[in-house]
Amino acid sequence: MESDHWTTPTCACWTPCSRTPALSNQALAARVHASPPTCLRRVKRLREAGLIERQVAMLPPDRLAPVLGHGLTAMVEITLDRQGAEAGRLRGRVQRRRRRCSSATASRPGRTSCWWCRLPDMPAYHALVQRLFTQDANVRNVKAFFSVKRAKFEPKTPISSARRS
């Protein structure tokens, strides 16, 4: 989406959509004080531009715990042994295939990445480490931080008012 399309009305439509993606078009229009066709057009433009990637349901871990168990959440920092674009691309392909890892980010090009992993228990974490973080996978160091309690989680991206026109 070009920056001239990123207007205040478009931001006004995007913000409620990011908080409540199941909001109907009529409810969105009432919330942002615009007509339903205007909101529909703006949301469609955001989707076509790839700014709305997908809509997801947030499952509260405390309510799922009686059914599925508490599980294990780990933030794993991985430092690669060999640097370079090819090693980084290979690591990216591996990250995208791992369904247990909900998020993977690179903090330095081709060198360090952080993975957020949600696993059923410690043996499952151990199996993940054995499969992915070995010397064969070009991994030098692995540092893991385990979550005890999730205090806050909001998958939102704040839009600076300075960028709005």
Side-chain angles (χ1 to χ4, degrees):
M1 176 177 273
E2 297 173 17
S3 61
D4 60 330
H5 290 107
W6 196 247
T7 61
T8 300
T10 303
C11 289
C13 287
W14 181 82
T15 302
C17 284
S18 69
R19 291 190 184 121
T20 314
L23 205 59
S24 72
N25 189 50
Q26 285 73 21
L28 176 62
R31 196 174 283 188
V32 300
H33 309 291
S35 70
T38 299
C39 287
L40 188 62
R41 237 184 355 264
R42 293 187 183 278
V43 170
K44 182 181 177 192
R45 200 179 301 166
L46 289 168
R47 280 196 181 101
E48 288 172 350
L51 294 170
I52 296 178
E53 185 177 338
R54 60 185 161 165
Q55 295 177 332
V56 297
M58 301 297 298
L59 304 174
D62 292 342
R63 291 193 180 172
L64 288 174
V67 178
L68 301 175
H70 286 281
L72 176 77
T73 302
M75 192 282 292
V76 183
E77 181 185 274
I78 301 155
T79 305
L80 299 178
D81 192 27
R82 292 180 307 280
Q83 300 178 28
E86 184 55 38
R89 280 193 293 278
L90 175 63
R91 175 62 47 202
R93 286 193 300 271
V94 169
Q95 289 168 338
R96 285 189 294 276
R97 287 196 311 255
R98 296 284 70 146
R99 62 183 173 90
R100 296 268 187 215
C101 297
S102 62
S103 178
T105 59
S107 56
R108 286 184 276 173
R111 175 78 189 238
T112 303
S113 60
C114 296
W115 296 21
W116 290 95
C117 303
R118 179 84 178 135
L119 300 138
D121 52 25
M122 190 55 88
Y125 171 76
H126 183 70
L128 180 80
V129 167
Q130 293 301 312
R131 272 193 321 272
L132 296 180
F133 308 148
T134 63
Q135 188 174 6
D136 296 339
N138 186 32
V139 173
R140 179 189 302 171
N141 295 325
V142 175
K143 209 185 304 184
F145 303 90
F146 297 96
S147 172
V148 179
K149 173 103 172 124
R150 183 174 88 179
K152 179 180 179 181
F153 179 76
E154 290 188 41
K156 66 179 181 179
T157 303
I159 301 294
S160 170
S161 60
R163 294 285 304 159
R164 299 179 191 175
S165 51

